[in-house]
């Protein structure tokens, strides 16, 4: 959760790893400082040092920080410049999503070895329903211990697990268990666990809502649970008041849904200095198309609509899109389309940010592929897949950004900046 600092790790024996887990069949597994931990795994010399992953330029943002860095106040979503001021001696690394995606898939396979009811929320966290796994693997807490042990032994990574009767409480439990911990919230103790928490711990309560609630004297979840319905409606509106009231009483009927499907996959870059050179924009779009292609192929998906996002120096944002005749997962086709959209847009002003996003996603194996007239039977997709395999083994930096996009066809030499 983004508000994990508001949930101190607990030592209350009522919620320890050995607490009563009867009826607590929902697990929330959250990898610890995932991106930073993957970097430390492949660079053991960084173990014990503060490590920060994210944009390393003056406009960059922190994606992940090791717990050594967090001791200095570094947090995810913090501007990198602020992180450098807080912890100048940390190791700052750009993200390598190919590595993180590969690690995520390995971890998710461990989860699915236990139960088919796995609902990934992102690369580094998932809900599991283990009701049907108890006969084979034991109690929910035993299953949580099994998962933690396998992740540590097989992937050399740590995770924290919340075990509870509902998704909402399980997620709070994993947050409070961090780092590298296990917390069980017994059915009979759910309200004892929830009500002392700050009101910002509730899903749907952001900073502004929390401040509005605090002004009404509703500082904790327990305060909100006991608040008159009319007071709550005036503070956050009718729909939100009902939602928050239910959560405050520990009521969350949502089931684990393993059929979670991404609606789009994209990447964007904020330039350190506003850019006017079209060649630099072109290079950025090449690199972004490669990132999106890697993520699509890792997810086993293809997309049909290419969207281009452009943010001008004055923060105005322009979006353009084009739907392809045939779905794709190749960076080459994404770049060609994005560059065509850019050429038509021709903003003629300094650019702060560009992004590429693929929409209209479908499973790659279920989507027929059509060769363009005159195109080789084996071409860009195979070349890019080979680069994925090499990057997974040696690191994306060995391949280089957009390295496959420097030639019109594999095997033909041509100007590397022209597709």
């Amino acid at each position: 959760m983004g508000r994990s600092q508001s949930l101190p790790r607990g030592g209350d024996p009522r919620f320890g790893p050995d607490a009563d887990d009867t009826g607590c069949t929902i697990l929330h597994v959250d990898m610890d400082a995932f991106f930073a931990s993957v970097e430390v795994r492949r660079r053991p010399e960084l173990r014990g040092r503060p490590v920060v992953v994210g944009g390393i330029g003056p406009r960059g943002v922190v994606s992940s920080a090791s717990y050594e860095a967090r001791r200095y106040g570094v947090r995810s979503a913090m501007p990198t410049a602020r992180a450098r001021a807080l912890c100048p001696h940390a190791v700052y690394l750009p993200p390598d999503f190919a590595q993180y995606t590969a690690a995520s898939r390995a971890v998710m396979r461990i989860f699915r070895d236990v139960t088919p009811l796995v609902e990934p929320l992102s690369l580094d966290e998932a809900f599991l329903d283990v009701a049907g796994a108890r006969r084979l693997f034991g109690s929910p807490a035993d299953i949580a211990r099994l998962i933690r042990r396998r992740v540590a032994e097989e992937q050399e990574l740590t995770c924290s697990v919340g075990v509870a009767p509902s998704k909402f409480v399980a997620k709070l439990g994993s947050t409070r268990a961090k780092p590298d911990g296990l917390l069980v919230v017994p059915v009979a103790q759910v309200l004892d666990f929830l009500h002392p928490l700050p009101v910002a711990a509730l899903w749907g309560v952001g900073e502004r809502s929390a401040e509005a609630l605090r002004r009404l004297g509703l500082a904790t979840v327990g305060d909100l649970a006991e608040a008159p319905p009319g007071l709550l409606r005036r503070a956050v509106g009718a729909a939100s008041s009902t939602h928050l009231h239910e959560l405050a009483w520990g009521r969350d009927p949502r089931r684990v849904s393993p059929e979670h499907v991404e609606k789009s996959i994209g990447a964007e870059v904020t330039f350190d200095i506003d850019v006017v050179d079209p060649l630099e924009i072109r290079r950025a779009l090449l690199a972004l198309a490669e990132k999106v292609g890697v993520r699509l192929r890792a997810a086993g998906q293809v997309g049909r609509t290419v969207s281009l996002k452009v943010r001008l120096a004055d923060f105005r944002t322009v979006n353009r899109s084009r739907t392809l005749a045939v779905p794709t997962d190749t960076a080459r086709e994404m770049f060609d389309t994005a560059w065509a959209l850019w050429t038509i847009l021709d903003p003629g002003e300094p650019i702060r940010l560009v992004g590429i996003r693929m929409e209209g996603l479908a499973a790659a194996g279920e989507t027929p592929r059509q060769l363009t007239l005159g195109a080789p039977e084996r071409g860009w997709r195979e070349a890019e897949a080979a680069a994925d395999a090499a990057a997974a083994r040696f690191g994306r930096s060995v391949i280089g950004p957009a390295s496959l996009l420097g030639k019109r066809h594999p095997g033909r030499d041509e100007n590397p900046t022209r597709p």
Side-chain angles (χ1 to χ4, degrees):
M1 288 182 71
R3 294 181 292 273
S4 61
Q5 65 271 22
S6 68
L7 300 175
R9 185 170 182 173
D12 191 328
R14 293 177 298 172
F15 312 118
D18 298 318
D20 181 9
D21 63 357
T22 305
C24 297
T25 57
I26 305 298
L27 274 56
H28 181 260
V29 186
D30 199 354
M31 303 302 294
D32 297 322
F34 185 52
F35 293 178
S37 297
V38 172
E39 295 295 347
V40 172
R41 182 180 68 175
R42 64 175 175 165
R43 296 177 173 89
E45 69 275 11
L46 298 181
R47 196 170 302 280
R49 298 177 62 185
V51 174
V52 179
V53 176
I56 58 178
R59 289 178 176 173
V61 174
V62 174
S63 297
S64 176
S66 68
Y67 287 92
E68 291 82 1
R70 296 184 193 192
R71 295 191 189 110
Y72 293 87
V74 178
R75 295 289 184 270
S76 297
M78 172 183 288
T80 303
R82 173 64 175 157
R84 289 186 185 276
L86 291 170
C87 192
H89 60 287
V91 178
Y92 289 84
L93 300 170
D96 186 340
F97 286 102
Q99 289 288 332
Y100 310 148
T101 299
S104 174
R105 294 178 76 177
V107 168
M108 296 294 170
R109 280 196 296 270
I110 292 174
F111 299 167
R112 292 187 177 98
D113 284 346
V114 172
T115 173
L117 299 179
V118 177
E119 180 183 346
L121 301 181
S122 62
L123 289 177
D124 62 347
E125 61 175 320
F127 286 115
L128 287 70
D129 185 333
V130 299
R134 290 173 293 179
R135 180 174 296 179
L136 282 177
F137 300 109
S139 72
D142 288 337
I143 293 171
R145 281 186 277 267
L146 170 65
I147 289 171
R148 283 171 32 78
R149 183 172 66 251
R150 285 194 58 187
V151 169
E153 292 176 354
E154 298 174 24
Q155 297 301 315
E156 300 179 76
L157 299 168
T158 65
C159 61
S160 299
V161 185
V163 181
S166 70
K167 294 170 78 172
F168 169 57
V169 178
K171 188 169 173 71
L172 289 177
S174 68
T175 300
R176 189 163 170 178
K178 282 185 168 291
D180 193 18
L182 166 61
L183 188 141
V184 176
V185 183
V187 173
Q189 304 293 335
V190 165
L191 298 184
D192 291 337
F193 175 76
L194 281 179
H195 284 184
L197 297 178
V199 72
L202 292 171
W203 282 348
V205 176
E207 292 183 11
R208 296 174 109 183
S209 298
E211 182 56 36
L213 291 168
R214 283 192 290 265
R215 285 198 298 269
L216 296 173
L218 307 179
T220 68
V221 175
D223 294 336
L224 189 147
E226 300 292 349
L231 178 67
L232 208 51
R233 280 196 298 271
R234 287 194 297 275
V236 297
S240 292
S241 66
T242 300
H243 165 74
L244 295 178
H245 183 266
E246 291 297 293
L247 290 182
W249 285 102
R251 294 190 282 264
D252 177 16
R254 295 169 307 145
R255 296 183 178 183
V256 172
S257 174
E259 296 302 321
H260 174 74
V261 177
E262 294 289 349
K263 295 182 179 178
S264 66
I265 291 177
E268 59 187 41
V269 61
T270 300
F271 299 111
D272 295 339
I273 300 172
D274 296 336
V275 172
V276 294
D277 183 359
L279 183 58
E280 190 166 350
I281 297 293
R282 186 183 182 89
R283 288 171 178 157
L285 291 176
L286 284 169
L288 290 172
E290 184 183 59
K291 285 184 179 180
V292 175
V294 167
R295 295 179 198 176
L296 281 169
R297 292 188 294 275
Q301 294 184 304
V302 292
R304 190 154 196 158
T305 299
V306 181
S307 293
L308 172 70
K309 176 180 179 180
V310 178
R311 181 164 295 153
L312 306 177
D314 61 4
F315 286 88
R316 284 181 294 138
T317 301
V318 182
N319 294 282
R320 295 289 185 270
S321 64
R322 178 175 293 175
T323 298
L324 307 175
V326 178
T328 187
D329 59 6
T330 66
R332 161 61 49 175
E333 292 179 81
M334 284 181 271
F335 169 74
D336 284 345
T337 306
W339 183 247
L341 291 168
W342 168 269
T343 303
I344 295 170
L345 181 63
D346 190 22
E349 298 181 41
I351 303 302
R352 178 182 178 86
L353 172 152
V354 292
I356 293 177
R357 180 165 295 277
M358 285 299 290
E359 301 169 343
L361 303 187
E366 300 173 2
T367 305
R369 297 183 181 277
Q370 298 178 14
L371 288 175
T372 304
L373 185 64
E377 183 177 352
R378 298 180 65 82
W380 282 112
R381 189 175 193 282
E382 288 72 19
E384 293 180 25
D388 292 346
R393 185 172 182 183
F394 302 111
R396 182 63 52 177
S397 61
V398 174
I399 308 301
S403 61
L404 292 176
L405 300 179
K407 301 174 183 178
R408 171 62 65 181
H409 295 292
R412 298 184 190 173
D413 290 330
E414 202 170 297
N415 186 331
T417 63
R418 295 184 60 82

